[in-house]
């Protein structure tokens, strides 16, 4: 009875422990070879060295794969053996007692005989399942090992990778960059996986992973970092923290960026997140793929006419133009090019960085002031100058107050701009947003230019946060339409009407992504237009300034949220409070 238990402990458990140690050794060798491959330079690339290291990685992976298969086969076999390790000795002991004690035969009834027979049949069935499982694992192992060694080479499909852009979950090994000093950094290969809206990291030997980054409303983009390939950066919504990771190959690099983008949109919270991700990617492809078939266009026209015929009975009381939505061709011309970055002209950069000499507010030079001081002036001229000075200072102070009445700063990222055909409806802004985001998704454009958006009562300016150079400026009176996206609250767009030398006007739509809600930017632009209109009427200006509340420290509170307890207050979007 005791001998099978001793054999199970010394033979089966020892075999599994040995295979586990071999698997850990193979995993360590694979990590060392992957570390060599990750340190390959991108600029000074040595094909011979790269081929040798890639061959070393492939050999380490094959060895790790073989040891893991043997280890897993032993674990699967152990699941069956442990079920018979106790039953077999007990059954042998029982049968020995029956054979040894003839008198005990009368004590066993037919039920006990049936029980023993069922136990024996169960043991035989488990042994048969074990043999079948071992045979299936052996065949699977041969099929896997008969494959080409190219599949073990890292980034073997870099020329034509098969990328899944509909992922809402992703897991795998990445290299994480961490600072060890003021200028020194290290890279560590860790296991990362997504769980809900969080990015988790698990070190080797740990039972569970820990939180690294909250992915809700974050941004991800490709970066060049320390001469390493396939690097991307994850930035928090407030822009204060960032995380730089390196993928193993191009396919992993693209899929990680797409998965984080899908998670940042909070698709995982929907009832069917996979279908939502597929629909968004199909919409992105349709936005940059024009319909060239006449049959498809005729079919769409027929369907739209049928839908109009079904709903005309419900909209008879409305005018005809209110029932029709503007078509895409009426908003934006097909094939309109999209600009994904703001290019600052060299002459404009020089003008903005040119040293400005401080001028005298009275239009006099320093030489003239010195001569007048030396020669002296009469008391009458002095009083006249004093009166003019006070008048001028009053108007300067008034203009200064008007200029400071609205001066809102927002952190935004420029997504793109394109020419549009109309500015009579905000649907043109939503269509421009759709086409810009779709073009970025199709062409894998993840880089975005971060700027500071300054909203005043005169203009709208995009400022470089590092050099404080104005990248582009628009007069507030030329902005004819502005709106925030209905679903993605961080997207905001506006239409600018620019007069041309020929006398015509050109319309352009600009799409931005803000760290805050887009409604705040729209509120600031609307308030700036009200201030600009009120400046022409002193009574309206005084009424507007009196309606703007003051904070405790005497500043103007422009975006004030109405109290919920006040029944006469107008409902407003929560979170619109800001100061200027």
């Amino acid at each position: 009875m005791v001998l099978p238990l001793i054999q199970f402990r010394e033979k089966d458990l020892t075999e599994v422990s040995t295979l586990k140690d071999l698997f850990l050794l193979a995993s360590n060798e694979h990590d060392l070879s992957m570390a060599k491959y990750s340190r390959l330079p991108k600029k000074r690339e040595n094909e011979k060295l790269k081929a040798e290291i890639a061959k070393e990685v492939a050999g380490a992976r094959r060895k790790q794969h073989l040891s893991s298969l043997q280890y897993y086969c032993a674990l699967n076999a152990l699941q069956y053996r442990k079920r018979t390790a106790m039953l077999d000795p007990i059954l042998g002991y029982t049968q020995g007692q029956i054979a040894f004690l003839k008198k005990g035969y009368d004590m066993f009834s037919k039920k006990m005989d049936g029980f023993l027979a069922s136990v024996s049949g169960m043991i035989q069935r488990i042994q048969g399942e074990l043999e079948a499982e071992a045979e299936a694992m052996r065949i699977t192992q041969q099929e896997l090992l008969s494959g080409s060694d190219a599949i073990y080479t890292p980034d073997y499909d870099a020329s034509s990778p098969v990328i899944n852009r509909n992922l809402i979950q992703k897991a795998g090994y990445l290299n994480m960059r961490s600072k060890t000093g003021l200028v020194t950094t290290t890279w560590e290969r860790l296991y990362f996986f997504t769980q809900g809206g969080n990015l988790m990291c698990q070190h080797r030997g740990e039972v569970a992973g820990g939180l690294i980054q909250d992915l809700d409303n974050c941004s991800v983009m490709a970066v060049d970092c320390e001469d390493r390939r396939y690097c991307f950066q994850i930035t928090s919504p407030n822009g204060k923290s960032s995380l730089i990771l390196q993928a193993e190959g191009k396919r992993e690099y693209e899929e990680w960026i797409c998965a984080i983008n899908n998670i940042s949109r909070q698709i995982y919270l929907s009832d069917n997140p996979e279908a939502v991700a597929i629909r968004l990617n199909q919409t992105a492809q349709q936005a940059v793929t024009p319909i060239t078939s006449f049959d498809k266009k005729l079919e769409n026209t027929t369907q739209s006419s049928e839908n109009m015929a079904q709903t005309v009975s419900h909209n008879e009381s409305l005018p005809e133009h209110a029932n029709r939505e503007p078509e895409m061709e009426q908003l934006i011309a097909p094939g309109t090019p999209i600009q994904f970055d703001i290019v600052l002209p060299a002459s404009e950069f020089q003008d903005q960085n040119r040293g400005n000499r401080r001028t005298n507010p009275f239009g006099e030079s320093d030489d003239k002031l010195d001569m007048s001081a030396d020669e002296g002036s009469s008391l009458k001229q002095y009083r006249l100058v004093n009166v003019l000075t006070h008048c001028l200072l009053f108007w300067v102070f008034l203009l200064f107050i008007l200029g400071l009445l609205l001066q809102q700063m927002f952190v935004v990222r420029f997504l793109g701009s394109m020419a549009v055909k109309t500015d009579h409806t905000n649907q043109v802004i939503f269509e421009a947003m759709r086409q810009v985001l779709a073009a970025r998704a199709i062409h894998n454009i993840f880089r975005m230019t971060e700027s500071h958006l300054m909203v005043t009562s005169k203009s709208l300016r995009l400022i470089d946060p590092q050099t404080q150079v104005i990248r582009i400026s628009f007069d507030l009176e030329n902005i004819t339409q502005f709106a925030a996206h209905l679903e993605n609250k961080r997207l905001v767009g506006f239409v600018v009407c620019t007069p041309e030398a020929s006398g015509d006007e050109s319309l352009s739509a600009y799409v931005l992504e803000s760290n805050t809600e887009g409604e705040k930017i729209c509120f600031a632009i609307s308030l700036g237009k009200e201030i600009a209109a009120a400046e022409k009427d002193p009574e309206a200006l005084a009424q507007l300034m009196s309606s703007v509340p003051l904070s405790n420290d005497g500043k103007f509170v422009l975006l004030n949220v109405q109290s919920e307890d006040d029944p006469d207050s107008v409902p407003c979007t929560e979170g619109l409070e800001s100061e200027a």
Side-chain angles (χ1 to χ4, degrees):
M1 179 177 177
V2 180
L3 180 62
L5 296 177
I6 297 177
Q7 291 178 349
F8 173 76
R9 184 188 64 184
E10 295 181 354
K11 180 180 178 182
D12 298 334
L13 296 181
T14 304
E15 178 184 1
V16 172
S17 178
T18 304
L19 291 176
K20 179 183 178 181
D21 295 336
L22 293 176
F23 172 70
L24 292 177
L25 291 176
S27 299
N28 292 332
E29 291 179 4
H30 176 253
D31 289 342
L32 293 175
S33 60
M34 280 304 304
K36 292 181 181 179
Y37 182 79
S38 299
R39 290 195 297 268
L40 284 176
K42 182 174 65 174
K43 296 179 180 179
R44 301 189 302 273
E45 188 169 311
N46 189 343
E47 295 294 333
K48 182 178 179 181
L49 179 61
K50 180 180 178 181
E52 294 177 356
I53 296 179
K55 185 177 180 181
E56 181 181 351
V57 171
R61 284 188 173 178
R62 183 180 181 89
K63 183 177 179 181
Q64 183 193 24
H65 195 186
L66 180 60
S67 61
S68 64
L69 290 176
Q70 295 175 351
Y71 178 47
Y72 297 154
C73 290
L75 286 177
N76 293 334
L78 187 64
Q79 300 299 322
Y80 292 93
R81 291 195 182 101
K82 74 177 183 179
R83 298 169 65 180
T84 61
M86 293 297 297
L87 296 178
D88 197 9
I90 293 176
L91 181 62
Y93 175 76
T94 304
Q95 292 177 350
Q97 289 293 328
I98 294 175
F100 181 74
L101 300 174
K102 296 291 183 78
K103 296 181 180 180
Y105 181 77
D106 298 335
M107 299 175 57
F108 290 95
S109 62
K110 295 182 179 180
K111 293 183 179 180
M112 182 61 68
D113 294 338
F115 171 74
L116 296 178
S118 64
V119 171
S120 300
M122 183 179 64
I123 293 176
Q124 293 178 359
R125 187 179 70 254
I126 293 175
Q127 290 178 350
E129 292 178 358
L130 170 61
E131 294 176 357
E133 181 70 18
E135 182 66 19
M137 290 295 296
R138 185 183 64 81
I139 296 174
T140 305
Q141 183 177 354
Q142 290 180 354
E143 292 178 353
L144 292 175
L145 295 179
S146 62
S148 175
D149 293 338
I151 61 175
Y152 295 98
T153 305
D155 204 15
Y156 68 95
D157 57 348
S159 59
S160 58
V162 180
I163 302 172
N164 185 4
R165 303 184 184 278
N166 305 323
L167 295 175
I168 56 172
Q169 291 181 348
K170 183 67 178 172
Y173 280 92
L174 296 173
N175 292 331
M176 183 177 68
R177 179 193 178 200
S178 57
K179 288 187 177 181
T180 57
L182 294 177
V183 294
T184 58
T185 58
T186 59
W187 293 83
E188 187 178 5
R189 189 169 183 264
L190 301 173
Y191 183 78
F192 288 84
F193 61 96
T194 60
Q195 188 175 26
N198 300 322
L199 179 63
M200 312 292 288
C201 173
Q202 184 174 351
H203 294 261
R204 175 168 294 181
E206 292 184 350
V207 180
L211 176 64
I212 292 294
Q213 179 72 42
D214 185 4
L215 300 179
D216 286 344
N217 298 325
C218 72
S219 61
V220 58
M221 64 181 69
V223 294
D224 294 330
C225 185
E226 298 183 4
D227 196 21
R228 288 194 173 219
R229 67 188 77 198
Y230 307 132
C231 294
F232 58 95
Q233 175 177 319
I234 305 174
T235 308
S236 60
N238 56 13
K240 295 182 180 180
S241 62
S242 61
L243 180 67
I244 297 180
L245 303 172
Q246 180 192 15
E248 176 183 317
K250 185 175 182 181
R251 181 175 63 85
E252 290 289 316
Y253 164 77
E254 298 284 354
E255 288 186 351
W256 269 108
I257 291 179
C258 293
I260 294 174
N261 269 326
N262 292 336
I263 295 174
S264 67
R265 300 175 187 173
Q266 299 182 355
I267 297 177
Y268 64 94
L269 297 177
S270 58
D271 296 334
N272 193 353
E274 290 83 0
V276 175
I278 293 173
R279 187 175 70 252
L280 289 177
N281 285 281
Q282 288 178 351
T283 305
Q285 293 179 358
Q286 292 173 1
V288 296
T289 306
I291 300 177
T292 57
S293 175
F294 178 76
D295 296 334
K296 291 183 178 180
K297 186 176 294 186
L298 182 61
E299 181 181 355
N300 295 334
T301 305
T302 306
Q303 293 179 357
S304 62
S305 62
E306 292 177 357
N307 295 332
M308 289 290 291
Q310 293 176 1
T311 59
V312 69
S313 59
H314 301 282
N315 300 325
E316 291 179 351
S317 60
L318 298 176
E320 184 179 358
H321 64 275
N323 294 332
R324 284 202 308 267
E325 289 289 339
E327 297 182 358
M328 187 187 69
E329 291 79 3
Q330 298 176 356
L331 302 176
I332 301 175
T336 301
I338 301 175
Q339 181 179 347
F340 296 106
D341 200 354
I342 302 175
V343 181
L344 183 65
S347 59
E348 185 177 347
F349 181 82
Q350 292 174 359
D351 293 340
Q352 294 179 10
N353 289 275
R354 186 177 300 153
N356 295 327
R357 182 182 180 184
R358 184 176 180 181
T359 59
N360 193 292
F362 304 102
E364 298 177 353
S365 62
D366 295 337
D367 297 338
K368 291 182 180 181
L369 290 177
D370 294 339
M371 291 175 63
S372 63
D374 295 336
E375 296 176 358
S377 60
S378 62
L379 183 60
K380 184 177 180 179
Q381 292 177 348
Y382 175 77
R383 290 178 177 176
L384 180 60
V385 171
N386 194 14
V387 172
L388 293 175
T389 301
H390 283 82
C391 293
L392 183 59
L393 288 177
F394 173 75
W395 285 108
V396 169
F397 176 75
L398 182 59
L399 293 176
F400 179 74
I401 290 298
L402 293 177
L404 289 183
L405 188 59
L406 178 65
Q407 191 172 357
Q408 284 289 98
M409 181 77 74
F410 303 94
V411 179
V412 298
R413 285 170 293 278
F414 181 79
L415 297 180
S417 63
M418 60 190 309
V420 297
K421 299 175 65 176
T422 181
D423 60 348
H424 299 303
T425 175
N426 57 4
Q427 294 295 327
V428 67
I429 298 177
F430 300 146
E431 181 63 26
M433 290 179 181
R434 187 182 70 85
Q435 292 197 18
V436 168
L437 293 178
R440 279 181 170 270
I442 292 300
H443 300 293
N444 296 329
I445 301 175
F446 301 108
R447 295 181 180 272
M448 293 180 288
T449 304
E450 186 170 295
S451 304
H452 288 172
L453 177 65
M454 174 70 74
V455 182
T456 66
S457 59
K458 300 294 183 182
S459 63
L460 202 69
R461 290 174 289 178
L462 289 176
I463 304 173
D464 191 326
Q466 297 180 355
T467 62
Q468 299 302 315
V469 174
I470 298 177
R471 288 174 172 160
I472 192 170
S473 178
F474 309 102
D475 292 337
L476 206 60
E477 61 183 8
N478 292 337
I479 298 178
T480 58
Q481 284 286 347
F482 52 92
H485 199 273
L486 300 179
E487 296 180 359
N488 191 346
K489 302 298 184 180
R490 296 191 301 162
L491 289 181
V492 65
F494 55 88
V495 178
V496 179
C497 178
T498 306
E500 296 182 351
S502 60
D504 299 334
E505 293 180 346
S506 62
L507 300 175
S508 300
Y510 290 81
V511 181
L512 306 174
E513 182 185 21
S514 173
N515 285 352
T516 59
E517 294 183 358
E519 292 292 340
K520 295 183 179 180
I521 300 179
C522 294
F523 188 88
I525 296 175
S526 177
L527 186 59
K529 285 183 170 291
E530 291 181 6
I531 295 174
E535 287 179 1
K536 302 177 183 179
D537 188 0
E539 296 181 358
L541 179 60
Q543 183 179 0
L544 178 62
M545 294 181 64
S546 62
S547 63
V548 177
L550 294 176
S551 61
N552 296 329
D553 54 355
K555 295 182 180 180
F556 289 105
V557 181
L558 299 180
L559 307 180
N560 188 19
V561 181
Q562 300 289 340
S563 175
E564 296 179 357
D565 300 333
D566 188 3
D568 298 332
S569 62
V570 180
C572 182
T573 306
E574 184 178 359
L576 297 181
E577 184 173 353
S578 178
E579 293 184 356

